[in-house]
């Protein structure tokens, strides 16, 4: 029997007639026909349907699996970046909080009430008891206003407790060399330990107490708790169910963004968890947290402290997008199996238009336009591709902005460079003309820098320049413009500042540098000050006046601040400046 005849019989539903009863077995295709009939694929319609289902199902499932893997890898990379960012932000918040507490303690030690009474106690005599009472009352008063400290305790120069805000006083828990370091003027932060009395982790922060003639009188030791950090860390938690924890090097938790139920002792990270996070070296690690939840997290060190910030998010939340993508893929396959034709048309419309937008966007980016921001293309592969494309363009924008920032920044000191200064100068001249407000320029030069550099080497000279950048930032306002003008010369631009105040600011900078501890000994600076418009109407004139005042300071012995002399025609200069400001305001109106 021919294949064509057999197919015709299947289609017509007719069986073999009596004349066929003795016909021998047909070719192997007859066995295939019987199998197809068993599977109810004996009609062309069903065969076409089966072929369509197979042709749709195989590539659809293959694509879904590949997309799942790619998206999981990309999501893991994004998650790593998010957790590292939140961890770094948390570390900065912790570092700032510790610095603020250290500053508080330094302020307390600078009180006249503190040093005067401690000095009287040291001298002994009839006034010692009164001084002790007054010192204790001062500590109690301060303790009542600052809730971050559980106790404020003062010792004498030998480390013996003389007064405390608590009764009875606690113990000083500090490193073995704490008195030696405090005598050198350093602040000392002890290791955090669990306090059964407080029912929480605490650490001792100590600062030296000195007299007006710089004698070491004793120590103020403040017992810190970390409850305030719980609230601070809660502001930077990743996702809805994420957490930010602060831990010591051995895993002791100091603060948590989501406190667990009250316990009777310290909470520590499991050794295997700590080891896995440490081995991950800044990338995400998957583990089970202290509540038994599967999480993904990263460990970020806190600058200058033996602590780390643990940023973590539940795995279910972290990979929710992947779960949604998987479910969407199964739904898509089901729809494809039911309405292959209609869905093919729909997918053509859904996919081609976003791809065309991506192509146009890519062309615009290639032409240099980084303002491209494509609309979201849904939750499928094209939507994810659109999201990645937008993220890529955003990163390119950030890179361009960073390059622009670096182009106006001095790499060594972190201050602005000469190019930025000149632009800022011109803007400040325009603003000063509009508002009829003066501004001042300080030209700062490190005294005998070449000799220092030749004697101690270029590395030591670079350390001096870096210290100058730090001193200028510490001694000026945020709105002031700081720039390295060239070599060892620096310029500070003080908006809305007159000559007298600028001279005082220069003296403050000079005194601040005198306190800077450098490896090869102290250095001094000479400072020249000039005012706009008193000493010139242009950038070059004002800088030249400040430079002349600087060289006058150097010629008179260095290590001093000199202002440019006030011209005899000062009144006329200011009258002209006022007239110019009025004209500028009229032009703007």
């Amino acid at each position: 029997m021919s294949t064509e005849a057999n197919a015709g019989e299947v289609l017509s539903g007719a069986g073999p007639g009596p004349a066929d009863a003795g016909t021998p077995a047909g070719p192997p295709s007859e066995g295939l026909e019987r199998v197809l009939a068993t599977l109810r694929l004996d009609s062309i319609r069903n065969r076409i349907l089966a072929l369509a289902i197979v042709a749709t199902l195989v590539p659809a499932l293959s694509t879904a699996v590949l997309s799942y893997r790619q998206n999981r890898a990309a999501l893991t990379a994004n998650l790593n970046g998010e957790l590292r960012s939140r961890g770094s932000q948390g570390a900065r918040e912790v570092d700032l909080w510790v610095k603020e507490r250290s500053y508080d303690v330094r302020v307390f030690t600078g009180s006249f009430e503190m040093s005067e009474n401690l000095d009287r106690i040291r001298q002994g005599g009839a006034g010692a008891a009164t001084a002790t009472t007054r010192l204790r009352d001062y500590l109690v008063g301060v303790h009542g206003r600052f809730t971050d400290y559980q106790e404020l305790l003062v010792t004498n120069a030998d480390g013996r407790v003389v007064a405390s805000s608590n009764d009875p006083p606690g113990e000083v828990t500090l490193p073995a060399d704490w008195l030696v370091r405090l005598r050198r003027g350093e602040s000392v932060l002890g290791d955090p330990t669990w306090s059964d009395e407080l029912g929480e982790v605490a650490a001792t922060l100590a600062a030296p107490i000195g007299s007006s003639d710089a004698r070491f009188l004793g120590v103020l030791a403040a017992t810190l708790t970390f409850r305030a950090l719980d609230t601070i860390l809660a502001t930077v938690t990743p996702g809805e169910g994420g957490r930010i924890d602060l831990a010591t090097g051995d895993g002791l938790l100091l603060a948590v963004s989501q406190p667990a139920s009250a316990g009777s002792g310290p909470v520590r990270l499991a050794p295997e968890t700590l080891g896995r996070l440490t081995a991950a070296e800044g990338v995400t690690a998957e583990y089970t947290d202290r509540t038994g939840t599967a999480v993904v997290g990263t460990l970020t060190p806190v600058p200058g402290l033996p602590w780390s910030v643990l940023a973590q998010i539940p795995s279910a939340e972290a990979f929710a997008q992947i779960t949604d993508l998987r479910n969407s893929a199964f739904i898509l396959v089901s729809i494809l199996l039911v309405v292959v034709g209609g869905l093919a048309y729909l997918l053509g419309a859904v996919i081609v238009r976003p791809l065309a937008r991506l192509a146009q966007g890519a062309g615009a980016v290639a032409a240099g336009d980084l303002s491209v921001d494509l609309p979201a293309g849904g939750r499928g592969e094209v939507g994810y591709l659109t999201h990645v494309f937008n993220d890529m363009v955003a990163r390119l924008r950030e890179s361009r902005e960073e390059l622009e920032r670096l182009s106006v920044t001095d790499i060594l000191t972190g201050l602005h460079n000469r190019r930025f200064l000149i632009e800022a100068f011109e803007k400040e001249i325009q603003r000063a003309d509009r508002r009829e407000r003066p501004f001042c320029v300080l030209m700062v030069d490190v005294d005998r820098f070449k000799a220092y550099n030749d004697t101690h080497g270029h590395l030591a000279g670079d350390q001096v320049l870096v210290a100058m950048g730090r001193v200028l930032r510490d001694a000026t306002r945020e709105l002031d413009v700081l720039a390295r003008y060239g070599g060892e010369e620096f310029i500070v631009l003080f908006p809305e500042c007159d000559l007298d105040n600028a001279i005082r600011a220069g003296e403050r900078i000079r005194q601040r540098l005198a306190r800077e501890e450098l490896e090869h000994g102290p250095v001094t600076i000479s400072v020249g000050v000039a005012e706009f418009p008193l000493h010139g109407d242009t950038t070059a004139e004002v800088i030249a006046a400040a430079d002349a005042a600087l060289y006058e300071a150097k010629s008179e012995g260095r290590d001093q601040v000199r202002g440019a002399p006030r011209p005899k025609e000062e009144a006329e200069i200011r009258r002209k400046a006022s007239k110019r400001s009025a004209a500028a305001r009229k032009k703007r109106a």
Side-chain angles (χ1 to χ4, degrees):
M1 183 185 295
S2 66
T3 303
E4 289 80 1
N6 195 21
E9 292 177 359
V10 172
L11 289 173
S12 63
D20 299 320
T23 304
S29 59
E30 292 183 358
L32 176 60
E33 291 293 338
R34 286 195 293 269
V35 172
L36 293 176
T38 303
L39 296 174
R40 296 187 179 274
L41 298 177
D42 51 349
S43 70
I44 295 178
R45 180 186 59 190
N46 290 346
R47 293 177 185 181
I48 294 175
L49 179 61
L51 179 61
I53 290 175
V54 172
T56 301
L57 192 60
V58 171
L61 289 179
S62 301
T63 302
V65 171
L66 291 175
S67 176
Y68 176 84
R69 292 179 178 177
Q70 292 173 354
N71 280 275
R72 183 178 177 89
L75 182 61
T76 301
N78 289 339
L79 179 64
N80 179 53
E82 171 68 11
L83 290 178
R84 290 178 63 184
S85 174
R86 294 306 179 103
S88 297
Q89 188 176 356
R92 288 193 297 270
E93 293 290 346
V94 172
D95 180 55
L96 179 61
W97 183 82
V98 172
K99 287 179 178 177
E100 288 174 349
R101 303 290 76 76
S102 180
Y103 176 80
D104 287 346
V105 173
R106 284 283 187 178
V107 171
F108 300 160
T109 60
S111 167
F112 177 80
E113 191 80 11
M114 183 83 69
S115 58
E116 183 69 16
N117 287 314
L118 188 57
D119 194 30
R120 290 178 181 173
I121 295 172
R122 181 187 64 81
Q123 294 173 6
T130 302
T132 301
T133 301
R134 291 184 62 184
L135 183 57
R136 183 184 304 112
D137 292 341
Y138 172 76
L139 294 177
V140 171
V142 172
H143 179 243
R145 295 195 303 272
F146 294 88
T147 57
D148 286 336
Y149 308 99
Q150 290 298 316
E151 181 180 13
L152 295 174
L153 180 147
V154 172
T155 74
N156 61 14
D158 298 325
R160 183 176 59 84
V161 177
V162 297
S164 172
S165 62
N166 295 2
D167 189 17
E171 297 181 356
V172 177
T173 306
L174 290 170
D177 61 342
W178 64 283
L179 270 178
V180 176
R181 293 169 60 184
L182 287 162
R183 285 180 181 274
R184 292 199 302 258
E186 301 177 13
S187 294
V188 177
L189 178 62
D191 293 330
T193 56
W194 174 262
S195 171
D196 290 326
E197 180 182 356
L198 300 176
E200 59 183 314
V201 178
T204 300
L205 176 62
I209 303 172
S211 65
S212 58
D213 56 355
R215 284 184 295 107
F216 177 73
L217 298 178
V219 175
L220 173 62
T223 301
L224 278 176
T225 60
F226 300 89
R227 287 192 301 268
L229 281 175
D230 292 348
T231 303
I232 295 174
L233 294 179
T235 62
V236 297
T237 53
E240 296 180 359
R243 291 205 314 273
I244 296 282
D245 296 344
L246 177 63
T248 61
D250 60 357
L252 176 64
L253 292 185
L254 307 180
V256 293
S257 61
Q258 293 182 4
S261 57
S264 58
V267 179
R268 293 182 180 274
L269 295 175
E272 59 272 19
T273 298
L274 185 60
R276 183 174 299 178
L277 287 167
T278 303
E281 296 182 350
V283 298
T284 55
E286 296 187 44
Y287 56 95
T288 302
D289 71 353
R290 53 190 167 87
T291 64
T293 304
V295 298
V296 180
T298 60
L299 204 60
T300 304
V302 178
L305 294 170
W307 305 342
S308 297
V309 170
L310 173 59
Q312 55 191 10
I313 188 170
S315 298
E317 180 180 343
F319 299 111
Q321 184 179 354
I322 292 296
T323 302
D324 291 342
L325 180 62
R326 180 192 61 198
N327 295 339
S328 299
F330 281 123
I331 293 173
L332 181 60
V333 171
S334 299
I335 295 174
L336 285 171
L337 295 175
V338 177
V339 283
V340 175
L343 189 57
Y345 176 81
L346 178 61
L347 286 177
V350 170
I351 293 176
V352 171
R353 281 200 296 266
L355 288 177
R357 286 196 297 264
L358 280 170
Q360 290 178 340
V365 171
D369 181 10
L370 297 184
S371 62
V372 175
D373 187 13
L374 299 180
R379 299 179 62 183
E381 294 85 348
V382 176
Y384 177 74
L385 183 60
T386 303
H387 169 75
V388 171
F389 178 83
N390 287 335
D391 184 65
M392 178 192 69
V393 175
R395 291 177 183 273
L396 287 174
R397 282 198 298 267
E398 293 172 0
S399 298
R400 175 183 287 180
E401 293 169 358
E402 178 65 13
L403 287 174
E404 292 175 352
R405 185 190 68 80
L406 291 176
S407 70
V408 295
T409 302
D410 177 64
I411 301 301
L412 179 62
T413 63
L415 304 180
H416 295 302
N417 59 19
R418 188 169 185 157
R419 170 187 169 187
F420 182 89
L421 173 69
I422 298 303
E423 293 176 357
F425 223 117
E426 296 301 327
K427 292 178 182 177
E428 192 57 38
I429 287 177
Q430 295 174 9
R431 183 165 57 182
D433 280 341
R434 289 197 307 270
R435 299 185 177 181
E436 198 175 346
R437 299 284 182 85
F439 69 86
C440 285
V441 174
L442 267 71
M443 179 164 281
V444 182
D445 186 84
V446 180
D447 295 329
R448 298 183 177 89
F449 179 76
K450 185 178 184 304
Y452 189 97
N453 208 25
D454 292 343
T455 302
H456 304 295
H458 292 291
L459 182 58
D462 289 347
Q463 291 175 349
V464 170
L465 297 178
V466 171
M468 275 301 307
R470 183 169 58 250
V471 167
L472 290 175
R473 282 190 290 270
D474 291 347
T476 56
R477 306 169 297 180
E478 289 187 4
L479 59 89
D480 300 330
V481 179
L482 314 176
R484 183 183 177 190
Y485 194 61
E488 70 274 20
E489 286 188 333
F490 299 83
I491 283 186
V492 182
L493 182 64
F494 288 110
E496 299 192 9
C497 177
D498 58 22
L499 186 62
D500 294 335
N501 282 323
I503 291 174
R504 284 192 287 271
E507 186 63 31
R508 184 169 62 248
I509 294 171
R510 189 187 66 82
Q511 294 175 2
R512 170 65 180 80
L513 178 62
R515 299 194 301 271
E516 191 74 12
E517 295 183 1
L518 298 172
E519 181 179 355
H520 298 286
V523 296
T524 61
I525 56 173
S526 297
V527 183
V529 187
E531 178 186 322
F532 173 90
L534 191 61
H535 298 109
D537 293 334
T538 66
T539 300
E541 291 175 352
V542 179
I543 291 179
D547 190 49
L550 167 67
Y551 279 97
E552 181 183 351
K554 284 187 173 293
S555 65
E556 294 184 4
R558 297 181 173 84
D559 192 19
Q560 55 187 292
V561 181
R562 284 289 180 273
R566 294 180 180 273
K568 295 180 180 180
E569 61 277 11
E570 178 177 352
E572 178 63 19
I573 292 174
R574 296 196 183 280
R575 185 188 67 78
K576 290 182 179 179
S578 178
K579 185 176 180 180
R580 190 166 59 247
S581 298
R585 289 194 296 270
K586 183 177 180 181
K587 183 177 180 181
R588 285 172 57 84

